[in-house]
Amino acid sequence: MKQALLVFLGGGFGSVLRYLISKPLNPLFHNFFLGTFLVNIIGCLLIGLFLGLSAKGNILNYNNTLFLATGFCGGFTTFSAFAFEKHSYLKNGDLLNLAIYMFSSLGVGVLAVVLGLWVAKNI
């Protein structure tokens, strides 16, 4: 029960922070969902860092990892918004921006996870 509460609390904090970042940033560019892109990339970096620190065994324990990686990062990042925004590009026939946004999100996201793991390894 304690672990479920940690995930719940972390997810709540992450979701609120995602909302506070995405709401003002998404409307800034007509053809790019900057807020969603940033929270997903930051979330990738953080989950790499958190899981890397957890793997070291002496910095984050299991409960910390549940709160930060599963809860916070799970609530902070958003695959559903990412998928919906791709649909809006398709609906408008904007295949170029669809491809740019999709591949930059995936590519930069994976690089951010790798960077987070590297930072954690070298702390």
Side-chain angles (χ1 to χ4, degrees):
M1 188 63 167
K2 178 182 177 183
Q3 286 82 18
L5 182 60
L6 289 169
V7 172
F8 173 77
L9 292 173
F13 287 124
S15 295
V16 169
L17 187 57
R18 177 184 69 225
Y19 172 77
L20 294 173
I21 292 171
S22 294
K23 184 159 176 62
L25 293 179
N26 274 348
L28 291 180
F29 297 97
H30 176 66
N31 289 325
F32 196 79
F33 297 93
L34 180 63
T36 304
F37 179 79
L38 287 176
V39 298
N40 285 334
I41 299 307
I42 292 167
C44 288
L45 176 67
L46 290 175
I47 203 165
L49 181 64
F50 297 150
L51 293 178
L53 291 173
S54 179
K56 287 181 108 170
N58 60 345
I59 297 175
L60 293 179
N61 63 32
Y62 180 71
N63 286 337
N64 297 140
T65 304
L66 279 177
F67 177 80
L68 294 169
T70 306
F72 179 80
C73 288
F76 184 61
T77 60
T78 173
F79 187 77
S80 57
F82 173 80
F84 177 76
E85 290 161 357
K86 300 311 140 293
H87 175 264
S88 69
Y89 287 130
L90 283 172
K91 185 172 74 175
N92 294 327
D94 192 354
L95 299 180
L96 177 61
N97 281 315
L98 168 71
I100 291 170
Y101 187 50
M102 187 169 56
F103 290 113
S104 64
S105 293
L106 294 172
V108 176
V110 170
L111 289 175
V113 169
V114 170
L115 177 62
L117 289 167
W118 180 84
V119 169
K121 180 181 177 184
N122 292 292
I123 287 181

